[in-house]
Amino acid sequence: TMENRLLEVEGASKQYRLGMIGGGTLHGDFTSWFARIRGKEDPNTKIGAEHYGPNETFWALRDVSFNVDRGDAVAINGCRNTRLEECSIHGMGHVAARIDRDSRSCGLSRCELYDLGAGAVELGGGDRVNIVRGDNYVENCRIHNFNRIEMQYRGGGVMAGLGNRISGCEFYQSATMAILMLGNDQTVEYCNVHHVCMDIEDNGALYHGRNPAQRGSVIRGNYFHDIEVPFNVRALYHDDG
């Protein structure tokens, strides 16, 4: 029934960009390359398979709409160069997406995330001990109404690890913080943040601090506005600094 629905997806797709080689062996790559420069058919192409030339692209994930009543919609675990683009994710009991500490160069772009239970995106990645960047990101997304069930420390973007980025996003209509920034060498830039921290005390639209080892992060070019202050909240809250 609709009340027990766990997942609803519409219009799923994903884009791939093909490179010059990729036969899996030196011999396979060489024979494919040699056939290509002679204008011949690739001898490694399977009979009946659709053929794409070098640097051609085709979609395999785009314009996706998720609607899940319980749990998370998307988990990106141990991935490389995975991108969720132009997706609408809503109705989750927890977060829309989480990117784990072992993923590199993965992210969300031009997505709308809303009507969520306990935050929107958990953005991990990178190794603080060995100083390895994650380079994961959330960019140009609209993120709102993300505290339907849990409020405290459930930001629209929760950053951890090292070397990740939130940029060009709009955060609004939240009981608590827009962004919880943990870790090192993180970047929050060019975001529009408003009407957050609407039902919480001793907090901030962008909250960080409480650990002197978490250094090197950059906050720049953001626009914080329409944030009420009667509950001791601020645009930037560096706690126990």
Side-chain angles (χ1 to χ4, degrees):
T1 65
M2 186 64 68
E3 290 76 13
N4 294 322
R5 177 189 57 205
L6 291 179
L7 178 65
E8 178 180 316
V9 181
E10 298 178 359
S13 58
K14 182 180 176 71
Q15 186 186 50
Y16 290 93
R17 179 180 297 275
L18 301 181
M20 293 295 294
I21 59 175
T25 66
L26 178 60
H27 178 267
D29 287 343
F30 179 80
T31 55
S32 295
W33 169 77
F34 191 62
R36 189 175 301 132
I37 64 172
R38 294 188 300 150
K40 303 295 184 180
E41 184 178 351
D42 188 344
N44 297 307
T45 301
K46 293 182 180 180
I47 297 175
E50 189 172 2
H51 177 68
Y52 293 89
N55 295 318
E56 289 189 56
T57 62
F58 61 96
W59 285 102
L61 185 61
R62 190 179 186 183
D63 298 324
V64 175
S65 178
F66 291 92
N67 194 325
V68 181
D69 287 343
R70 297 189 293 273
D72 306 330
V74 178
I76 299 175
N77 299 324
C79 297
R80 299 291 185 272
N81 301 303
T82 298
R83 181 184 183 94
L84 203 63
E85 185 172 279
E86 295 184 8
C87 298
S88 173
I89 305 178
H90 56 94
M92 259 53 65
H94 199 246
V95 300
R98 66 173 72 239
I99 302 175
D100 78 342
R101 59 177 296 174
D102 296 320
S103 295
R104 301 288 184 269
S105 301
C106 298
L108 288 75
S109 180
R110 300 196 300 277
C111 297
E112 183 172 13
L113 316 176
Y114 66 98
D115 189 23
L116 304 166
V121 181
E122 294 184 2
L123 183 61
D127 187 338
R128 296 179 61 217
V129 175
N130 296 300
I131 316 180
V132 177
R133 294 180 60 86
D135 289 319
N136 298 318
Y137 57 89
V138 180
E139 62 183 19
N140 303 319
C141 294
R142 291 181 62 199
I143 302 174
H144 58 97
N145 300 86
F146 46 82
N147 295 117
R148 194 178 70 245
I149 300 172
E150 299 181 36
M151 298 183 187
Q152 190 69 11
Y153 296 102
R154 296 295 189 179
V158 178
M159 309 179 75
L162 185 147
N164 302 303
R165 171 176 56 88
I166 295 177
S167 63
C169 295
E170 183 180 14
F171 294 87
Y172 62 97
Q173 207 65 33
S174 168
T176 186
M177 64 190 69
I179 299 170
L180 171 59
M181 188 171 68
L182 308 172
N184 295 77
D185 298 342
Q186 314 282 32
T187 299
V188 178
E189 58 186 5
Y190 313 122
C191 293
N192 181 13
V193 182
H194 58 95
H195 296 96
V196 296
C197 297
M198 298 173 67
D199 192 20
I200 200 165
E201 194 268 342
D202 189 28
N203 217 291
L206 193 158
Y207 180 95
H208 63 120
R210 309 198 75 171
N211 186 340
Q214 296 182 355
R215 303 182 179 185
S217 294
V218 175
I219 303 168
R220 63 187 171 202
N222 301 286
Y223 180 31
F224 297 92
H225 61 100
D226 292 291
I227 299 170
E228 298 292 335
V229 297
F231 300 114
N232 187 27
V233 298
R234 300 292 185 268
L236 302 178
Y237 196 116
H238 186 77
D239 205 355
D240 296 337

